[in-house]
Amino acid sequence: MPVTVAPTRSALWLLLAVLSLSSAQAWAQAYEGARREEVDAGVHTPVLTKAPELVHFVEAAYPAEAAAASKTASVEMLITIDEKGQVSDAQVTKPVGDGFDEAALAAVRQFQFSPAEVDGAPAPIQIQYVYNFVLQPPKVEESAPPPPPPQATLTGQLLARGSRSRVGGATVRCGDDPEAPEALSDQEGRFTLKVTPGTCDVRVVANDFHLFTTKEELAPNETTEVIFYLLPKAPGYETVVRGAREKKEVVRRTLERQELQKVPGTFGDPIRVLQNLPGVARAPFISGQLIVRGAAPDQTLTFFDGVEVPLLYHLGGGPSVLNAEFIDRVDFFPGGFGSRYGRAVGGAVDVATRKGASDTLHGSVKVDLLDSGFFVEAPVADGISIAGAARRSYVDVLLPLVLPEDPEGGTLLVLPRYWDYQVRMDFGAKRGSEPGPGGRSTGYVMAFGSDDLLNVVASGGGRNRDVSVDARTLFHRLKGDWTYRLGGFTSVFTPYAGYDLASLGFGVTKLDASVWSLGAREDIALELLPWLTARTGADVRFEHLVGEGQLPVLEGIQYAPFPGAEPKAELQTIKRVANTFDGALYTELDLKVGPVTLTPGLRATYARIYGQDRFTYDPRLWVRVQPAEKTSFKGSLGLYSQPPEAFNLEPAPLGNPALTHERSFQSSLGVEQQLTDAITVDVTGYFNRRYELVVSPGDTVRNEDGTLTRFPYSNRGLGRAYGVEVMVKHAVTRDFFGWLAYTLNRSEQRRVGGNDYRLTTWDQTHILTAVASYRLPYGMELGARMRYVTGRPTTPLQHTFDRYDADRNRFSGTYGEANSIRFQPFHQLDLRLEKSWLFQSWTLSAYVDVQNVYNASNVEATFYDYRYREVFEVPGIPILPVIGVKGSF
């Protein structure tokens, strides 16, 4: 019997979106990681804009012994296709022996595909391919070919059940016959299959989806149109495996959207997960501060898509100011960040938003006990999509219903309220279009903002004074982004404008500060050689600041009421205006020599603040050595600078025109080790020295005429922080993800010429956090978070006698050594249980997120009675269950 090979060509399950994009191909990815702690679930899911097609097929040689024994086989392989469409690697995933594996590999390695495109650009990709070896009977010579048999056509679209997302790269066929024709769905999920009329046992195979089967009756010479809904294998956990992106920073932890919404104690808010990472100390409840490696909160900056924003969380410690569905990823740099970032001597957080859906209308609605919000995304034309979100709290309505009554008849009114919004429009190359000779341009325009208002009124009862507090924080941003790519050249231009408002009212005192900002970034990357990549850019910002206040006049007649109350005085209105400009140029080089990657960088800054000129130069260096595939060593050295507050440069007695930038020397050394396919360990030690810090009070200077000037501020502060960070991470698998984070930290400070170093307010020696989430049967997920933190340093009250200030009509306290005692250690367990129901075109989830499950009594702060005789502790939140529902489509 003659032997022929009838392989099945396609079986192209577009499986692993391996985006091995170089830094010259995508600027944002040039900065992706270097110890990049990647909890990879729901990663910025790349859009497959063009599937690869087999354009040159090579027939495999049938093994002689197998042919003689009439053996057949199907060889399953994992094929890696590079950006040129060539097969760069092929591996057998299920060996069958008898020479079939070797023959299939030899043939497949000669295949040629049309290049796949991801997000509109050629990119490497991995597919599964099945090569079928079939023995064919000898051909019978016929005098005349018979008439072609009638055919039936099955055409339609593949959608993901529960979200209606298009399923591309799926194989559709009738039955299990290896010789049966099959079709491959395109990026829109559409397919067309021509088969013999009759009953078709439809089988649809797609990566990350269960096998779909059904029966269709197909009539001769007719077309049957269908829509098949494929069931995802693991709803809620979406895992995307991609090629390793360029790593530079020693510590860069990248968190991804969908997995982060499952962490207990965060109420489904991805950005709040930052508080569970190594290097981040726990902030007091409702403060919302980021305390990174012992630095003050204002020494760590936060960005949305590279644009600085004043805050991350509503009402200090509430939900983040960005809708969770809008988040693509969160890049957190506890230190040693790249030259692209500046104006900070602590850490940096950059939250990246994602583009709207390009396939069809999607959205979600979420309602819980704190707030309600919605998210919607849709394509409006080929190459153009929009997305929008909004949220509003109703805590101000519910909180008065649960506040305890004052037994002495007083009144306590706490009215917090917040809202936020985001709108984004993306535009660029059409899906599946070929890049032209002039390159490819894409971009987007986005507007976002947030408003927080807190009113507290306490009066009457047993209080020795009435309290009225009004606090408001508001900001708006409008930004654009234009990205141009041509070969190994990438340019990203980002202009933006913003408005910030912060106001505080305490009794008769009113303070308002507004900032109008205008800025732009230009980031350029160029791959000069395979082992050399250059990056450079500019970062400029102009700010117009206006400060207004209504304060009691310190001179004149004051009428003092009973002790403990504020003196009554006339009010005065003050106003200050300042303009600042900050412009920086930066450059970096990536040099790769074998297993060593060397990245020198420099950031040069010119600032004009309140009429004063300032210059800084910050050289930085990163080294990464990877002696083995699963082992990496890394280290960094660098200088960082942060400008002083504009109003602090006013003439004395309100400021000090001689203030300069705060400075920091940061260093770190670490190792990464992958223990198993799912478990990695990362250990990093660091030492940071901060100097020329702005402290108060400042120096007293003798003038030429013999008079003395005492400045309220000076650059005479010194600080240091050192410690070790450990992270053991279990990557996302089908049913589980989690990590264990531990930080050993010491944060100290002193003044130049002062005494020995002492603990800062931000020191927390031991920080241990364990996070885990497990996917149970029946669409349920259970997660837990356990935290233990050393208590924060505080200054003891040492009352020996009352101290009364008759001029100010108030008492003052007597204290011991600064930060010589600590609060009690903090410990808390949080649980989250979620149940999902998957319908044909939408998904419903219900969850309960319980904070402080065993009702631990943690002290968050202290205050004193008006005579400073007693210390009163402010407890943290008791057990707090939050119930919510979320529908998505």
Side-chain angles (χ1 to χ4, degrees), residues 77-81 87 89-90 108 113 125-129:
M77 291 173 287
L78 185 64
I79 302 177
T80 302
I81 305 171
V87 177
D89 187 33
V108 166
F113 294 82
I125 195 168
Q126 284 186 325
I127 66 171
Q128 279 191 345
Y129 191 92

Side-chain angles (χ1 to χ4, degrees), residues 481-497:
D481 184 288
W482 176 58
T483 301
Y484 173 76
R485 295 184 178 92
L486 178 61
F489 174 81
T490 302
S491 170
V492 181
F493 177 62
T494 307
Y496 62 90

Side-chain angles (χ1 to χ4, degrees), residues 55-169:
V55 296
H56 176 66
F57 172 77
V58 175
E59 183 173 325
Y62 211 109
E65 294 183 1
S70 300
K71 292 184 178 181
T72 63
S74 295
V75 181
E76 295 185 16
M77 291 173 287
L78 185 64
I79 302 177
T80 302
I81 305 171
D82 64 18
E83 63 275 9
K84 297 180 181 179
Q86 298 177 348
V87 177
S88 60
D89 187 33
Q91 299 179 4
V92 176
T93 57
K94 292 184 178 180
V96 296
D98 294 321
F100 289 111
D101 301 332
E102 294 78 4
L105 284 173
V108 166
R109 286 169 177 157
Q110 302 176 62
F111 282 8
Q112 178 66 43
F113 294 82
S114 63
E117 291 189 9
V118 178
D119 292 335
I125 195 168
Q126 284 186 325
I127 66 171
Q128 279 191 345
Y129 191 92
V130 181
Y131 206 117
N132 295 299
F133 289 84
V134 181
L135 291 171
Q136 299 287 351
K139 293 183 180 180
V140 179
E141 296 293 334
E142 298 181 1
S143 57
Q151 282 192 322
T153 301
L154 179 66
T155 185
Q157 192 173 29
L158 306 180
L159 303 179
R161 183 179 174 186
S163 67
R164 300 176 297 111
S165 297
R166 277 49 177 166
V167 181

